[in-house]
Amino acid sequence: MSEFTNPDIGLDSATPTGGFNFENVHRNALIEAQLQKSSSNYNKSNITPLATKTGTTIVGLVYKNGIVLGADTRSTNDTTVADKNCEKIHYIAPNIYCCGAGTAADTEKTTELISSQMELLRMNTGDGQSRVVTACTMLKRMLFRYQGYVSAALVLGGCDVNGPHLYQIYPHGSTGKLPFTTMGSGSLAAMAVFEEGFKDDMEEEEAVELVKRAILAGIFNDLGSGSNCDTTVIRLDGTVVHGRNCIMPNEVKPLRDAVKRSDTLNMRAGTTAVLKSTFKPRKSGFGVTLADVTVTPMET
C-alpha cells in the first residue's frame, strides 16, 4: 500500500474521527510536506483548494399565480467593483427566465446558449410553449459535462402548462426543485428573510416585496453584493413584468447634487480669444459621390 493512503507509513498525521470522511487528510499532509521540501517558494494557498465566492445575491420564489425572481446588480473583480449596474436576470424563453451567479461571462454565455437551443426546439416542435423542466435539463447536462469548470450557479424559474416551477442549479450540474431558493455569496442573508416571511399561495404584491427584502438583505450584509435591486415576475397567463432598478438604496445622485463646487475653474465660452478663422472649400474632382457608384442586381 502506498504511503499516501496508509496513515501508518510516512508522515505522522493523526486522522480525525467522527461522522465526516477524512480519508484525504493524510494524503494532503504528505503532498504539502513533500512540496515544502522540494520548493523554496512554497505557498500553501497555491496547493490547498480554496472556496470560491460568487459575489452575488440571487433569489426566486413560487407564489399563487407565478414566479418572482430577484437579483442585485453588483459585479466584482476580486475586491474591486467592476460594474455597479449589471443585469443578472437572463432571458431563456418568453415564459422562462434565469438568475446567474458566478463568473459573469459563464452565466451570460451559458444562458444565451440554452436560450438559443430552446428557440430551435420550439421551431422544431410547432412553436409551442417551452417547458421549464426542458431548460433545466439542458442547463444541468451542459454544466455536468464541464465538471464545474463553467462557474454558473443558476436560479431558473418559469410558468408552463404544468404550472409555476423554480429550480436551483449548481455549477457541477446538480439541481433541486424548491418553493423558494437563494444562491450566491449573499444567499444566507436572503434565505433568512425567506424563511421568516415565506408562506404558501402568496399574492403577487407581497411576494415581490419579500423578494425585494431578501435582495436588500444581501446588499447590506454581503460585501460581494450591492447597488440596486432587479425583479422579474412571470405569471401563469404568460405575461412578464420586469422591475429593472426597482429599488436603488445606494443612489448617489442626490448626494452629488447637494455638493456645491467652486465655479472658479470652469472655462466658459469666450475665455480663449479666437485670433483667426478660415474656410477652404473642397476642390471639385476629389472624393466619391453617388454618381460614381454602379449598382448591380444580386443573382438569385
Side-chain angles (χ1 to χ4, degrees), residues 51-62:
T52 302
K53 287 193 173 183
T54 55
T56 289
T57 302
I58 54 174
V59 305
L61 65 79
V62 181

Side-chain angles (χ1 to χ4, degrees), residues 61-68 194 197 199 201-213 231 233 235 241 246-247:
L61 65 79
V62 181
Y63 75 98
K64 184 177 180 180
N65 296 314
I67 296 287
V68 183
F194 272 177
K199 58 184 178 181
D201 297 328
M202 298 178 70
E203 296 296 332
E204 180 176 320
E205 292 78 10
E206 58 181 340
V208 173
E209 288 302 316
L210 183 61
V211 166
K212 291 179 181 179
R213 284 176 49 210
T231 60
V233 180
R235 302 191 181 109
V241 179
C246 58
I247 298 182

